[in-house]
Amino acid sequence: RKKCLLCNNLLMIVAASIMGCSKIARSFEMILIGRFMCGISLCVPLHHQYVGEISPRKLRGFANSTSSFFWSLGKAIGQISGQRELLGSQYLWPMLMASCGLPALVQLITLPFFPESPPYLLMHKGDQEGCKKAIRQLWGEGHHQAEIDDIMKEKATMKNTKILSVLELMKEPAFRWQLYVIVILTATVQLCGINAV
């Protein structure tokens, strides 16, 4: 999870650099390429997954809701700083376009000091000591055997569950309607007015 987030941050910094240099290069295509790279980045789902896995059980819901808050806050800050009086002027708009790389840079610098997620270490790597060390680093010293037992139960459940590839998921009739709903919701989220809010 952590390595994927780090690679994703590199992608965002490259995208921000491309958009920031578009005026110097006199190329609107660079803006399109940069926005496309921002669009394919996996920031939101990866952040939800990592934050959810490193949070203690009693704070997990709160921690997952913070990403939505910061996402909305980022949109609001972007719209405010896009005003002509701030970064929306003829000379400063490349800085506005490149500003999406700033949070990625902060996360790229700070994330190496965080441990890998305990469920990932235990379920996918089989590293029980690494899992305990990560839990102690995240949640402090104490008795965390109940959390480790929960992760082990989840691992046992996952062994009996077949993991489908994307192509298998699309071909599976049992998941077809759920997939349609998710695709329609995702495709039409821009029409709901969240950007105006």
Side-chain angles (χ1 to χ4, degrees):
R1 313 275 190 259
K2 192 168 97 169
K3 286 179 186 173
C4 196
L5 274 170
L6 289 169
C7 291
N8 194 61
N9 288 324
L10 287 173
L11 178 71
M12 289 297 290
I13 289 170
V14 169
S17 302
I18 289 171
M19 289 188 293
C21 296
S22 62
K23 186 176 181 183
I24 296 168
R26 296 183 180 185
S27 170
F28 73 90
E29 294 89 354
M30 290 175 71
I31 297 172
L32 297 176
I33 292 167
R35 291 303 299 156
F36 178 75
M37 290 172 72
C38 287
I40 63 170
S41 71
L42 301 169
C43 295
V44 176
L46 282 174
H47 180 265
H48 275 290
Q49 190 171 19
Y50 183 70
V51 168
E53 288 181 357
I54 66 171
S55 303
R57 182 178 296 278
K58 60 184 175 186
L59 296 176
R60 201 162 289 159
F62 172 75
N64 276 329
S65 66
T66 59
S67 62
S68 300
F69 169 75
F70 283 111
W71 189 32
S72 301
L73 182 65
K75 282 181 169 266
I77 289 171
Q79 289 177 350
I80 291 167
S81 52
Q83 300 298 315
R84 285 194 184 103
E85 294 79 16
L86 299 172
L87 296 177
S89 69
Q90 182 178 356
Y91 302 104
L92 295 177
W93 68 261
M95 288 177 60
L96 178 65
M97 297 297 286
S99 66
C100 67
L102 189 61
L105 183 64
V106 169
Q107 191 173 26
L108 193 65
I109 292 169
T110 58
L111 196 58
F113 298 104
F114 285 82
E116 187 58 80
S117 85
Y120 174 76
L121 288 171
L122 190 58
M123 292 170 60
H124 297 283
K125 296 287 186 182
D127 184 5
Q128 192 160 2
E129 283 305 311
C131 175
K132 288 178 182 177
K133 183 179 174 187
I135 286 175
R136 281 193 301 271
Q137 186 178 350
L138 289 165
W139 306 340
E141 294 296 329
H143 188 69
H144 303 293
Q145 191 58 43
E147 287 87 357
I148 294 171
D149 291 341
D150 285 343
I151 296 169
M152 292 299 284
K153 286 178 192 171
E154 190 177 341
K155 183 179 180 180
T157 305
M158 291 291 287
K159 278 185 181 177
N160 301 329
T161 307
K162 182 185 176 197
I163 297 174
L164 301 174
S165 69
V166 175
L167 190 59
E168 290 172 333
L169 180 68
M170 292 173 74
K171 289 180 179 178
E172 182 65 42
F175 300 120
R176 193 161 291 147
W177 281 106
Q178 292 92 327
L179 195 61
Y180 289 157
V181 169
I182 289 171
V183 168
I184 290 169
L185 283 173
T186 306
T188 58
V189 73
Q190 294 302 319
L191 305 175
C192 73
I194 187 68
N195 290 334
V197 171

